[in-house]
Structures are given as C-alpha cells and as structure tokens.
Amino acid sequence: MFYRASLQAAAALASFSLLVGGCGLLSESGSETDQKISVGTTSSPSTLDPAAAWDGSWELMRNIYQTLMSFPTGSTSPEPDAADSCVFTDSTSMAYRCTLRKNLKFSNGEKLDARAVKHSIDRVVDIHFKGGPAGMLGSLDRVETKGDDTVVFHLNKPDATFPFILATPAMSLVAPGDYPKDKIRDDGKVTGSGPYLLDAYEPGVTAEMTKNPDYRGFANRKNDAVTIRYFEKSADMVNALKAKEIDATYRGLTAEEVIGLEDKKDGNEGLQITETVGADIRFLVFNPKDPAAANPAVRKAIAHIVDRDALVAKVYRGTAEPLYSMVPKGIAGHTTSFFDTFGDPDVGKAKNLLTSAGITEPVKMTFWYTTDRYGSSTQPEFEELERQLEKTGLFDITLESAPWKSFQEGFTRGDYPVFGRGWFPDFPDPDNFIAPFVGEESVTGTPYRNKEITQQLIPATRQKSDRAAVSRQFERAQQILVEDVRLLPLWQGKLYVASGEDIGGGERALDPQTVMQMWELYRKTSW
C-alpha cells in the first residue's frame, strides 16, 4: 500500500513539475515529453526559398526542409534522407539514381514524389537567382523521373561530389503547388517535409518551429519544438542566455565572450560551452595584376614571415587554429603542406629570398579586408599581420577596408593587390576547398590558372565515387598551392554552442557543414 501511494505521489509531483516548468522529463535514453528549446543566433536568414539560398539561410532550412541526401551526426559522407537509396549507375559518375522513401508528403498534403524532386532541382537552375546556388549544379545536364519514386540525375561530366551537393540545404525539396517554377516564393511562408514545421516567422526576430508529425527521414528529434531568436549583437544574445531567456546560442560569439562563458564567474554559473573544430577558413589572396603580389619571391617571403600561432593567440585567443593548408583539419586529405615547406617563421629566409630576387628596399603593399563580413576581429587580425611584416623591416604595409558589398565589387574588378577572404564550405569534401579557388571563375574574383589542377587532378577525382581513393590527387593539388603561394591559409575556426547546464546534445548538434541540427538538443531534467 505504501509503495503504491509513493508511486502515486511521485506521479503527481512529476505532473505538477511539467505544468510549472513547461518542459519535459528525460529518461536515461534521452527520450522526451513535450520538450521546448530556445536557441539564439546572430545568423539570420536572407530568404526562406532554397532556390535563392547560398548563405547562412541554410541554418534554418536544414531544420524545416528535407533533402534527398543529408549528413547524419558524425558522418562526413552523405546518406539518404528523403531518399531510401541513391547510387551512381555507371563507373564514370555521370548518372546518379535516387529511389524515394515510401509515403512522403509535404506539409500542405502534396505528395513528395519524383515529380516534386525534379521540380525542386529544376527551378534552382531555371530561376538562376543572382548569388543563389545554381552555380553548384554546373555538372547537371537534366533530371529524369521514372515512375513516382525514382529520379535519375544525368550529368554533363563526371562528378563524384554530386551526392554532396544534393545533401546541401540549397537542394531542399519543395512542394510544386506552392513554389513557382520561374520565380522565388516571397510570401514569408514555407511548405516543406523536414523535421520541423515553421509555424511562425518574423525576419530578423524569431522563427517558431514544432515537430513535423509526418516527417520520415534520418533525424532523431529529441525535442518537440524549437524557437530561434535572431540577435544583431552577440552581447545581447549572451545576456539573454545568462538571463535564461534562451537555452543555447549558436553562431556569433566573439573570442572574448567564449572565454568569459568558460569562466564560471560573474553570472556564468550554470552555463556550459561545447567546442568543435569548424571547417570555415581564412586566407590571403595575392592578385597577379599587382607587380609586387605577382612576384613569387614576395609571396614566399610573406609565407616565411607570417606567424599563425601569434595571430591566433593575440587576436582569437585560442578560439581558432593555425591553418597550413587550404584543406582544413577534419576534412579528408588535409595536409600541413605550408608548414612542411616554410616551417616556423624565419625572417632570415625571407630576406634571402627577396635579396636573391634583387629586392633591397622594403616592399610596399596594400592589404584589404572587409569590415562587416567575418566579424569584429578582422581589423585586429590585419593589424597583427601588418605588425608582423613591418617588424622585419622587409615590408611597408598599408591597410585598407570596405563594407562587404563594395569590397566584393573591388576584388572582383581586380583592384586589390592583397586581400583577406573567408570560406564556409558547401560540403565536407576536399574538392570544395580546392576547386572553387582555381580556374578562370575563381570565387576569389582573381583568376588562378593552373592546368594540372583544373584539367587533370580535379577531373580525375570527380570520376571516383570512393572519396577515400582520391587523397593522392588532393595532396598533389595542395602542394601546387604551396609552390605558387597565390593563396596563403591563415587559420580555421572553432564552433561553439553555449547553453545552460541542463541542455544536452550540443556536441551532436553540428553537422559536417557546420549547420545546426536543432533536433539534437534536449533538456536533461525539468528540476
């Protein structure tokens, strides 16, 4: 009798806790009941339509749309999501077939079938939104449907990275009835089939999501609803976390804020920081139109002088890592080729290079950076680079800056001798850290002609769907980048999820594209 009464009392107490706390109890297995999580970020979407998105809008899209392929937690290889299976049908990686899961549907009740897949991918190409993701589909020739559940992507050239492209949120599947073939949807609404439904959205302010009861995919949702709050200033976001107005943060924390949150003092009690190595990188671009930047001796001298350890320690205070290759740590094929060639900073070697090239006076150069794209630490980063180079007496550096829009126009015109760029990967494959930077249409805006990379190495790797079998080619490509020093890698970022100590899943919430998987977050306890 006493045992039963105790159980009844415990049950009553649990029910009372749910009513008061508004959050659920977790079993040891991590299951949940009525879990609601609030997340803050400084990364606000620019659009809700995947056909226009090649930016931070992917953060929200990953959670409300579905893609044929995706990156489950811990995987750097794309695996089926809306698809039941996908496979190259030939040995040259020119035809890719996907068979859909059964009984998929969009939130408006439309069937998610082969016709809807074709419509979704075709409209990305047909609309060709300026700044949008159509450029990612350069290898796509046409999309063929076979019945209701099979889609075949016919390519115009071998491209083993095509499954990775299909796994990006840019290739999200949309309902044909609500998304016109020839224009972007702009009514502020979403019709998807992803893990969550977007119940309400106010641009730059908030996104309200609830669990999609009809979702059929890989995501194991550990909560029932997520509110995303968008902040203009990271300080306001951190204050909201400390005040328990939000449960977690993602994107936008400064180095000082990360270090402050790691200190369990001054209002940081009850908070935790989860750290993971990011795949975003920063690097310098040398423009061969400029006489000094075009001189290999000058570029190699700079490579001998730049002290990445000091840069990371002084400016980023350990919240970034020195980078010695354009392919960052954590991506297959990563090497330390710049360190292997140039080693630790050596002013003597830099001076010898310049002297041998007939340069006896300090080299005058102008370094450009953008003021509003990569965070508030960009200016002190370039001031540190200026200090390092001028301290040697070998260089006379002038710093110039511009807002992103005019900065982008400037480097595209070839106006800047040396400038800083960042890169957030589209997918976790070494191809995405080499191919975009070489060729006539380099994303740096500065053509980088190297036939061995563009005509031999990259085409050879794209014929092999086994990505583990292409490391030799990418190692050679990285070595060529070292020999040319047209690009100088500086550092790669770390990603941080700050949260209350009662929030779990932060370590699993970042996929290999460093896009937030909100479904991994859960509340450990309600009291």
Side-chain angles (χ1 to χ4, degrees):
M1 177 71 90
F2 176 77
Y3 179 69
R4 177 179 293 180
S6 298
L7 288 179
Q8 291 172 338
L13 180 60
S15 299
F16 176 75
S17 173
L18 289 174
L19 290 171
V20 173
C23 58
L25 292 173
L26 283 175
S27 68
E28 292 182 358
S29 64
S31 61
E32 77 294 327
T33 58
D34 194 25
Q35 288 246 351
K36 297 180 180 180
I37 304 293
S38 178
V39 179
T41 179
T42 60
S43 179
S44 178
S46 64
T47 178
L48 295 179
D49 191 326
W54 202 356
D55 58 15
S57 304
W58 286 11
E59 300 288 356
L60 179 60
M61 290 180 182
R62 172 58 76 206
N63 295 275
I64 57 179
Y65 291 108
Q66 202 169 10
T67 45
L68 286 172
M69 305 288 284
S70 194
F71 294 99
T73 299
S75 173
T76 56
S77 297
E79 298 180 20
D81 184 9
D84 182 61
S85 64
C86 290
V87 64
F88 278 107
T89 62
D90 62 340
S91 60
T92 59
S93 302
M94 290 190 66
Y96 194 65
R97 183 183 65 216
C98 290
T99 302
L100 295 173
R101 292 177 186 261
K102 303 290 186 183
N103 302 318
L104 295 177
K105 66 179 180 179
F106 294 104
S107 54
N108 66 352
E110 282 189 68
K111 288 178 58 177
L112 199 174
D113 55 11
R115 182 183 68 89
V117 173
K118 176 176 170 58
H119 173 86
S120 301
I121 305 302
D122 280 349
R123 70 188 295 269
V124 173
V125 177
D126 293 342
I127 294 174
H128 210 95
F129 187 82
K130 184 178 181 180
M136 299 177 67
L137 293 172
S139 64
L140 179 63
D141 180 42
R142 60 187 176 90
V143 183
E144 177 189 10
T145 61
K146 292 188 174 182
D148 288 340
D149 64 352
T150 301
V151 182
V152 180
F153 299 92
H154 296 277
L155 309 183
N156 53 39
K157 56 187 174 183
D159 188 0
T161 69
F162 193 74
F164 291 81
I165 295 170
L166 288 181
T168 67
M171 303 303 142
S172 294
L173 305 177
V174 298
D178 287 342
Y179 291 79
K181 181 180 180 181
D182 57 353
K183 65 179 182 179
I184 296 298
R185 181 177 182 179
D186 58 4
D187 62 358
K189 298 180 180 180
V190 163
T191 310
S193 61
Y196 296 96
L197 302 175
L198 185 63
D199 291 337
Y201 177 70
E202 186 176 351
V205 180
T206 187
E208 298 280 354
M209 305 187 300
T210 55
K211 185 187 291 187
N212 180 1
D214 297 317
Y215 171 70
R216 293 172 56 82
F218 78 93
N220 178 20
R221 295 162 295 181
K222 297 182 174 65
N223 58 63
D224 293 289
V226 177
T227 296
I228 303 175
R229 287 183 55 188
Y230 300 109
F231 294 84
E232 288 189 8
K233 298 180 180 179
S234 60
D236 294 337
M237 179 173 68
V238 172
N239 289 336
L241 178 67
K242 292 180 179 181
K244 300 187 184 302
E245 297 170 3
I246 57 175
D247 297 308
T249 71
Y250 175 65
R251 292 277 189 213
L253 293 176
T254 66
E256 291 75 16
E257 287 164 345
V258 169
I259 293 169
L261 288 168
E262 289 176 334
D263 187 352
K264 299 294 184 179
K265 299 177 182 178
D266 301 326
N268 296 333
E269 300 86 353
L271 300 179
Q272 61 183 347
I273 284 277
T274 302
E275 173 188 307
T276 185
V277 175
D280 59 310
I281 65 174
R282 300 292 185 275
F283 55 96
L284 294 179
V285 181
F286 293 94
N287 185 354
K289 289 184 178 181
D290 178 76
N295 191 327
V298 172
R299 301 196 300 266
K300 291 178 181 180
I302 293 175
H304 272 301
I305 293 170
V306 170
D307 188 340
R308 295 168 177 82
D309 288 330
L311 181 68
V312 167
K314 291 182 179 181
V315 179
Y316 293 98
R317 301 178 67 182
T319 60
E321 292 193 26
L323 181 62
Y324 296 96
S325 167
M326 291 299 289
V327 178
K329 183 189 298 185
I331 301 296
H334 165 73
T335 69
T336 56
S337 48
F338 272 86
F339 183 83
D340 298 340
T341 299
F342 295 102
D344 290 320
D346 193 322
V347 177
K349 289 182 178 179
K351 184 175 182 179
N352 289 338
L353 274 170
L354 294 175
T355 302
S356 298
I359 301 173
T360 57
E361 298 293 326
V363 180
K364 293 184 177 182
M365 303 185 79
T366 301
F367 282 30
W368 282 80
Y369 64 90
T370 181
T371 57
D372 58 353
R373 179 75 168 183
Y374 305 126
S376 59
S377 297
T378 305
Q379 179 178 338
E381 173 184 340
F382 273 76
E383 291 172 346
E384 171 62 15
L385 289 172
E386 178 188 31
R387 186 196 69 79
Q388 291 182 9
L389 291 168
E390 290 194 337
K391 182 180 178 181
T392 66
L394 302 176
F395 289 89
D396 180 2
I397 305 297
T398 298
L399 296 183
E400 296 284 355
S401 62
W404 174 253
K405 183 177 180 180
S406 57
F407 178 79
Q408 187 177 36
E409 293 171 350
F411 71 67
T412 301
R413 288 194 305 263
D415 293 347
Y416 305 153
V418 184
F419 55 96
R421 281 296 312 271
W423 182 248
F424 298 87
D426 300 319
F427 49 84
D429 186 89
D431 182 284
N432 201 233
F433 292 91
I434 302 289
F437 308 124
V438 295
E440 296 292 337
E441 302 296 328
S442 167
V443 295
T444 66
T446 303
Y448 181 2
R449 303 172 183 89
N450 186 287
K451 291 183 178 180
E452 184 177 354
I453 294 179
T454 59
Q455 296 182 17
Q456 298 178 35
L457 298 175
I458 294 299
T461 64
R462 288 181 175 177
Q463 292 184 32
K464 298 181 180 181
S465 56
D466 179 4
R467 305 310 286 163
V470 297
S471 59
R472 180 178 58 81
Q473 289 93 335
F474 282 116
E475 288 172 6
R476 172 56 187 157
Q478 290 172 81
Q479 186 57 41
I480 292 172
L481 297 183
V482 171
E483 294 167 1
D484 293 343
V485 198
R486 285 283 307 280
L487 308 167
L488 184 65
L490 297 174
W491 56 269
Q492 71 181 92
K494 295 180 181 179
L495 292 172
Y496 296 89
V497 174
S499 66
E501 290 182 340
D502 63 328
I503 301 298
E507 72 285 354
R508 294 178 56 83
L510 300 173
D511 79 354
Q513 295 166 304
T514 64
V515 173
M516 192 74 161
Q517 299 182 142
M518 298 295 181
W519 55 84
E520 293 288 357
L521 299 176
Y522 62 91
R523 198 176 306 279
K524 297 178 184 177
T525 179
S526 61
W527 53 49

